[in-house]
Amino acid sequence: MIQDVVWSVSIILMGALALVFIWVATGASVAIANYGPVIDAAYRLRVWLFGIALIVLIGTNYKTVGELPYINTLPPLPAAAVQPVQVVGQQWMWTITPNTFKVGQTAEFQVTSKDVNHGFGLYDPEFRIVAEVQAMPGYTNVLRYQFTEPGTYQVLCLEYCGVAHHAMQAQIKVTDH
Amino acid sequence: MTIAATAGRTAINPRAAVLAYLAVSGIVLLLMMLLGLTMRLAQAQWIDVSPDFFYVVMTMHGAGMVGIAGLCSAAVMWHFVRRHVPVSTAVFLTNLVFFLIGAVLILGAGFIGGFGAAWTFLFPLPAHSGGLWSVNAAAAYLVGLIFIGVGFLLLHLDIARGILSVYGGLGAALGVKQAFGLAHGEEGPPPAVTASTMALIANILGILVGAAVLIISLVNLYVPSFTFNALAAKNLIYYFGHTFINVTIYMAVIAVYEILPIYAHRAWKTNWAFYLAWVLSTVFVLTVYTHHLLMDFAMPTWTLVAGQVISWLSGLPVLLVTAFGTLTVVYRSGLRWNPAAALVFLGVAGWAIGVIPAIADGTIAVNSVMHNTQWVPGHFHTYLLLGMVAMVLGFMTYLTNPQSRYGVAWLGYWLYLLGGVVFVLAFLSAGSASVPRRYAVHVAQWLPYDRIGSIGAACAIAGVLILIVRFFVGMRTAASAQDPSG
Ligand code: HEM
Ligand SMILES: [Cu+2]
């Protein structure tokens, strides 16, 4: 899952950066009399770091901007290949029609709200988020998702919408062929 | 250029005014942290809190923390910028008064009126309480925010006046020429002036936008037929909210530029890269807010792609200039650590490290599965609690430096640091396990994160309590003292 990759990479980078701070902090008491050479060496190092950062930045953004979830950036599918789904959020319930699917089916959730902002959060049977989109009054946001796994999916509200926000849940059933 | 204290023009001792800010900040910070702990304990199911009260607490914690972050970092900024430009102590204190009036209105709205639409008051939620709070409670909250905003507007305008009188233009005070190699870096404005200029540009724009959406929300409360586009309102709110909270770090970091060199006996070298970083940060902080709307598919796609790319770019000045500069100043400098130096150093570490999970979530592909999970409070508590707050605690310790009681300060420091790390990691790992943010009630499988996070939070608060008590003990003598010089 993306989450696991992000967690691992973040923890490694955060830990590495923390180690750099700890290394500099613990070595601070030993003085180098001359600051000039330290500055010069640091500036040279910084040029390298800048270069590396730029490569990572361009590479990652190039890759990820090519895979956006927005419907206007996705290839159009023939009408027979998608199942349109009406999703309406309101304080504090979801109305989802239809709410049963088959594995392999591609759903296009047309998500809107009757009152305030809500968030359509799709949780897989292991209770991990696989997709989300905002439900905003006055707008219909289209989220495309292909079900790959059978089981009971949960829809949780992911935009704070008042006192029963945490209870605003619904279920989606996905069956084998 | 140094302008002697403005004491000649006003009866109020400016140093006492700064201490007054910090005293208010210390108390409010602690109280808001206890509200935060209340939420953690409630999610951990170690205490019983009804959802309606949880969401009031959440709203008060959010608004209170954002407001106090602004207040305490403004104290840092004002204290140091005053050395270079003339500013008015009366205006500085006016901001404090406006803040307190706003705080009373907001606390009343929450704890008396039951207002719980979250600090972001996302339109049109304030008007749709489901019977939990009245229109008047919502209005009190919004008016409270307007008061706080107006106070800051006055403060920034006064600093702008002072800066213009010395530097002639905001570009010159920001160091634009130096940034682009048109003038020598060493001759540029002092860091405190550059940072204050960035803060005022960003915050004045942000607050004006905020005022607009606050007024729209207020009118909508009383005249429901007056509606407004929800997506436009969300843009305005995040423009304001993102800018305001971000600027707090850029104000607080002045403490690092000023305090660390004193103890490290090294100057903070301001070269073109330093000024370029600040010029770019000014642009980024004002354009990056769309990363809060990545799941609003109705937004023009280019704005969201820009939000992602600018999120990544805005990490560069933080990491390569401020963090790198901090490390260079400290590296083998012979610095003998004391709590003030250690706190500002920690502040930079917390900020830099918090940038990493922030950038991750600013990536659309990641946001698709992490938006509005606890990853979000995870990353921002990293650079607010362990970044901005550490810088301010460092400043407080520096001003009230009773050298004889280092021992207890170190205890506070380590409790705060280690507890804080556990607390933020619990949020981040919960976020990657898809635990939503802003949930009063958690399911059984999420409780381990909440419990570990609660323990971390309690330790961190104990540490902060020690540091703040120590500040109050040293405060009386600090009012008449000079800043420590090493
Ligand atoms: C040890 C101290 C702290 C504790 C225990 C704490 C705890 C919490 C908790 C439990 C939440 C809600 C998490 C959720 O959505 O499930 C939260 C949200 C938040 N906290 Fe903190 N916090 C602390 C310090 C801070 C500081 C120092 C700041 C800023 C300067 C801050 C700013 C915020 C903000 C802006 C929110 C978002 C509120 C919302 O979602 O509406 N917190 N905090
Ligand atoms: Cu909700």
Side-chain angles (χ1 to χ4, degrees):
Chain A
M1 302 207 83
I2 301 176
Q3 289 96 317
D4 298 321
V5 176
V6 170
W7 163 255
S8 313
V9 173
S10 299
I11 281 298
I12 290 169
L13 291 178
M14 292 166 76
L17 197 49
L19 285 178
V20 173
F21 274 90
I22 293 169
W23 171 65
V24 169
T26 50
S29 55
V30 195
I32 296 179
N34 210 337
Y35 189 30
V38 174
I39 289 265
D40 292 340
Y43 284 176
R44 278 197 301 280
L45 175 61
R46 180 155 71 183
V47 174
W48 279 99
L49 289 176
F50 179 70
I52 295 170
L54 217 54
I55 292 170
V56 173
L57 193 153
I58 292 171
T60 322
N61 280 279
Y62 181 78
K63 171 109 180 49
T64 52
V65 168
E67 301 163 1
L68 300 177
Y70 311 127
I71 196 77
N72 58 329
T73 66
L74 298 175
L77 292 178
V82 286
Q83 172 64 56
V85 188
Q86 311 303 321
V87 179
V88 181
Q90 70 190 88
Q91 283 173 325
W92 288 280
M93 57 181 281
W94 293 106
T95 314
I96 303 174
T97 33
N99 60 4
T100 54
F101 303 90
K102 292 209 156 54
V103 169
Q105 216 174 358
T106 300
E108 273 186 8
F109 297 99
Q110 302 173 357
V111 182
T112 187
S113 165
K114 273 193 184 164
D115 41 36
V116 300
N117 289 280
H118 302 279
F120 177 81
L122 187 61
Y123 280 66
D124 70 7
E126 284 78 50
F127 215 37
R128 299 285 290 276
I129 299 172
V130 288
E132 60 175 285
V133 66
Q134 296 290 126
M136 185 177 265
Y139 289 88
T140 300
N141 292 326
V142 181
L143 172 71
R144 186 187 287 178
Y145 183 74
Q146 183 175 25
F147 290 100
T148 53
E149 208 191 320
T152 304
Y153 287 65
Q154 309 283 337
V155 174
L156 267 60
C157 185
L158 289 181
E159 185 62 75
Y160 177 62
C161 57
V163 68
H165 164 58
H166 56 275
M168 185 170 155
Q169 306 192 2
Q171 292 192 343
I172 285 177
K173 291 243 163 30
V174 178
T175 54
D176 270 320
H177 304 274
Chain B
M1 177 179 330
T2 303
I3 306 269
T6 44
R9 287 187 283 119
T10 150
I12 315 152
N13 172 359
R15 211 180 155 78
V18 169
L19 291 169
Y21 261 62
L22 295 176
V24 171
S25 302
I27 292 170
V28 176
L29 258 179
L30 278 172
L31 290 177
M32 291 301 131
M33 286 184 175
L34 291 174
L35 293 186
L37 181 62
T38 308
M39 283 188 278
R40 288 270 63 183
L41 293 170
Q43 289 172 333
Q45 296 181 9
W46 274 339
I47 60 171
D48 201 18
V49 173
S50 69
D52 49 343
F53 189 64
F54 178 97
Y55 291 123
V56 169
V57 168
M58 184 184 87
T59 305
M60 297 297 109
H61 175 81
M65 279 298 193
V66 171
I68 210 65
L71 198 79
C72 61
S73 53
V76 174
M77 167 176 73
W78 193 81
H79 179 81
F80 290 114
V81 82
R82 193 169 66 81
R83 295 177 177 175
H84 309 288
V85 303
V87 286
S88 152
T89 309
V91 172
F92 184 59
L93 286 175
T94 307
N95 179 39
L96 183 60
V97 172
F98 272 69
F99 181 88
L100 292 172
I101 297 172
V104 168
L105 283 166
I106 289 172
L107 290 171
F111 290 117
I112 302 170
F115 179 74
W119 82 274
T120 44
F121 61 94
L122 205 53
F123 182 86
L125 184 56
H128 291 252
S129 73
L132 277 167
W133 62 82
S134 65
V135 165
N136 292 336
Y141 175 82
L142 299 173
V143 173
L145 282 190
I146 292 177
F147 264 98
I148 293 177
V150 170
F152 275 95
L153 202 56
L154 294 175
L155 177 66
H156 285 299
L157 286 173
D158 181 58
I159 294 175
R161 187 189 50 73
I163 284 178
L164 289 177
S165 75
V166 175
Y167 292 91
L170 294 180
L174 202 55
V176 174
K177 274 193 178 160
Q178 285 77 9
F180 296 107
L182 304 174
H184 277 295
E186 299 84 61
E187 293 153 18
V193 170
T194 301
S196 304
T197 307
M198 182 273 201
L200 74 90
I201 295 172
N203 251 1
I204 289 175
L205 287 172
I207 290 171
L208 291 177
V209 170
V213 69
L214 282 163
I215 290 168
I216 289 167
S217 302
L218 262 175
V219 175
N220 170 261
L221 280 177
Y222 291 103
V223 189
S225 61
F226 170 88
T227 60
F228 192 70
N229 180 299
L231 188 57
K234 189 172 177 182
N235 274 271
L236 298 177
I237 288 171
Y238 278 104
Y239 196 90
F240 153 70
H242 173 89
T243 307
F244 190 86
I245 191 62
N246 239 258
V247 164
T248 67
I249 313 179
Y250 290 96
M251 296 193 284
V253 77
I254 298 173
V256 182
Y257 295 142
E258 297 282 346
I259 296 174
L260 213 47
I262 295 174
Y263 297 119
H265 301 290
R266 279 179 180 173
W268 195 290
K269 287 267 192 294
T270 51
N271 59 359
W272 63 270
F274 175 86
Y275 294 106
L276 184 59
W278 278 90
V279 171
L280 290 177
S281 293
T282 312
V283 176
F284 294 156
V285 82
L286 287 170
T287 48
V288 76
Y289 81 97
T290 53
H291 66 199
H292 292 274
L293 290 98
L294 297 179
M295 291 301 105
D296 282 288
F297 290 15
M299 286 286 285
T301 301
W302 70 267
T303 61
L304 304 181
V305 171
Q308 161 168 340
V309 174
I310 298 171
S311 299
W312 279 74
L313 286 174
S314 52
L316 292 181
V318 181
L319 292 171
L320 290 175
V321 176
T322 300
F324 197 84
T326 303
L327 292 168
T328 315
V329 165
V330 171
Y331 178 76
R332 301 243 168 145
S333 60
L335 184 151
R336 311 254 320 275
W337 287 108
N338 62 57
L343 280 164
V344 292
F345 186 77
L346 167 64
V348 176
W351 186 16
I353 291 170
V355 161
I356 291 165
I359 289 179
D361 196 41
T363 310
I364 296 163
V366 177
N367 200 263
S368 279
V369 291
M370 311 267 264
H371 177 62
N372 279 350
T373 65
Q374 283 195 334
W375 186 269
V376 179
H379 82 66
F380 72 67
H381 282 93
T382 307
Y383 54 63
L384 291 175
L385 176 63
L386 292 173
M388 186 276 300
V389 169
M391 295 171 194
V392 173
L393 289 172
F395 177 60
M396 292 167 84
T397 310
Y398 158 84
L399 285 185
T400 54
N401 208 15
Q403 312 242 344
S404 54
R405 280 188 293 275
Y406 273 180
V408 63
W410 282 123
L411 175 67
Y413 177 84
W414 286 108
L415 274 173
Y416 159 58
L417 168 53
L418 297 176
V421 168
V422 170
F423 167 68
V424 297
L425 286 178
F427 269 154
L428 288 171
S429 53
S432 63
S434 296
V435 179
R437 72 183 287 201
R438 293 175 163 172
Y439 262 38
V441 181
H442 278 189
V443 301
Q445 74 190 79
W446 296 336
L447 298 186
Y449 304 106
D450 305 330
R451 296 189 168 168
I452 293 169
S454 299
I455 295 168
C459 288
I461 295 171
V464 172
L465 175 69
I466 292 176
L467 293 170
I468 287 176
V469 167
R470 197 170 164 279
F471 165 80
F472 276 102
V473 171
M475 200 170 89
R476 256 170 301 132
T477 45
S480 51
Q482 292 281 308
D483 281 8
S485 52

